[in-house]
Amino acid sequence: MVAKTFGSAVSGVDAKLITIEVNVGQGTSFFMVGLPDSAVKESQQRVESALKYFGYRMPRQKVVINLAPADIRKEGSSYDLPIALGILKASEQVMFPELERYVIMGELALDGKLRPVKGVLPIAIEARKQGFKGFILPRENAAEASIVNSLDIIGVDSLEEAINFLDGNLDIEPLVTDTRDIFYSSLEHYEFDFTDVQGQENIKRAMEIAATGGHNVIMIGPPGAGKTMLAKRLPSILPPLSLQEALETTKIHSVAGRLGRNASLIAQRPFRSPHHTISDVALVGGGGNPQPGEISLSHNGVLFLDELPEFKRTVLEVMRQPLEERKVTISRAKISVDYPANFMLIASMNPCPCGYYNHPEKECVCGPGIVQRYLNKVSGPLLDRIDLHVEVTPVKFDEMTSTRKTETSKAIRDRVIKGRELQVERFKNSPEVFCNAMMPSHMVKEICEINEAGKALLKTAMERLGLSARAYDRILKVARTIADLALSENIKVEHLAEAIQYRSLDREGWAG
């Protein structure tokens, strides 16, 4: 007899339906075909142990399991549960009249308990798209899958529960989650707030501009000046995630297995801060079984690289293409996957190895040429892709001890949202562009028009600072964002002047 169950394979951030066909016939061998990896092949031992634990038997006949389509590689241990249920039906130990109406995933322990699996959200989305009645999965993953409506989410703790449910001996109420309620109730919960920051008004202004236009920022200053503290507060002034963005973000974290147990929709913009010892693959994504890296985990949020010159040069260089294209393509001999990577890059660095170059009070002890060599660890092409270069100076004692209330993140965010609304209207006919930072060059010429006085100012700045063509575009984009914050229709000379001052690292001989 042939039995069919349905599972799913995740490729990139999307899922593909997998049909698991089980045939029990004459003979004594066990075959698994359809490009299974080692973890899938090893399911035979886990399934046999789990079946025996609950009083069922593994057929002592020829068992052939086909995972179709056969040209897609199947990876991981999440096929254990559908394989076990397929064997039970094919060997006629149970009937399961509705088995083919459910997508089923789950890893079995030797005692038949179910362990959580990765990539549940894209699988649930695909199950609904394919018209299945429900999705049977480990209970710990049920909250994540229940984000998808119009699909019965059946969370089970063990193989026995799944058998009894499918056989009609056990009623399990499908888990229903009010996604919109969870989403809107979590939008305003931020751990950090700009009201905690005393002084640093110029840096707050740069952060506000960056948040409004989606620009990348590098902060350069001595240790203890507040670079990390300011970066951590940036998500609190970014516009709230839309429901679509929240789903996208949750899908990526689901595929990477980073959601945690009983997790649901991610309602806040991610903030990722990898250590400078990170490898190329961990940052960009990849591996034998491609997984999203830190740049994809920070999609729709912020990637913070602290101590930028300490990162390996190769690690920083592989970021150049994703920063431009807003996605990363990982290609292998047999597979190519795309992961979205639309993130804001916030980097920080000391101005020299000792950290006190240009410090108002402490003296730099670095020898001649050392400062320039240190700054050269960050390549020109990468700096070109960073719109705002901000010098951070230490907070004075009077400002630090001031009891004056500073502006809250909510007040700044309200201005940012108004600026973003102008951009949404501006780019309504360009589906790939959401904010000023994403404008391609041809669009910059149309949208960032400047008057003759502005052209003269920009020409002088370009010649004196030795700026590249890409830096020219960046200045115009930042000036457009500053004009949006001022609710100005045109870019004025003062907007352009402020944008030029945010290219400090482009100045020739900055460290000399």
Side-chain angles (χ1 to χ4, degrees), residues 305-346:
L305 302 183
D306 201 3
E307 304 299 343
L308 191 67
E310 303 302 329
F311 283 80
K312 287 194 298 239
R313 182 109 181 179
T314 53
V315 171
L316 296 180
E317 295 310 301
V318 293
M319 271 205 313
R320 279 159 51 179
Q321 187 184 4
L323 277 169
E324 289 285 321
E325 296 186 359
R326 311 276 172 175
K327 67 172 185 179
V328 59
T329 303
I330 296 161
S331 299
R332 296 290 178 267
K334 293 182 181 176
I335 190 172
S336 179
V337 295
D338 286 341
Y339 290 116
N342 184 12
F343 60 94
M344 272 181 70
L345 173 66
I346 307 297

Side-chain angles (χ1 to χ4, degrees), residues 37 39-40 43 46 75-81 106-108 116-117:
D37 74 348
V40 181
S43 67
R46 294 190 293 272
E75 294 166 328
S77 53
S78 53
Y79 298 98
D80 292 1
L81 183 59
E107 178 188 338
L108 285 170
V117 296

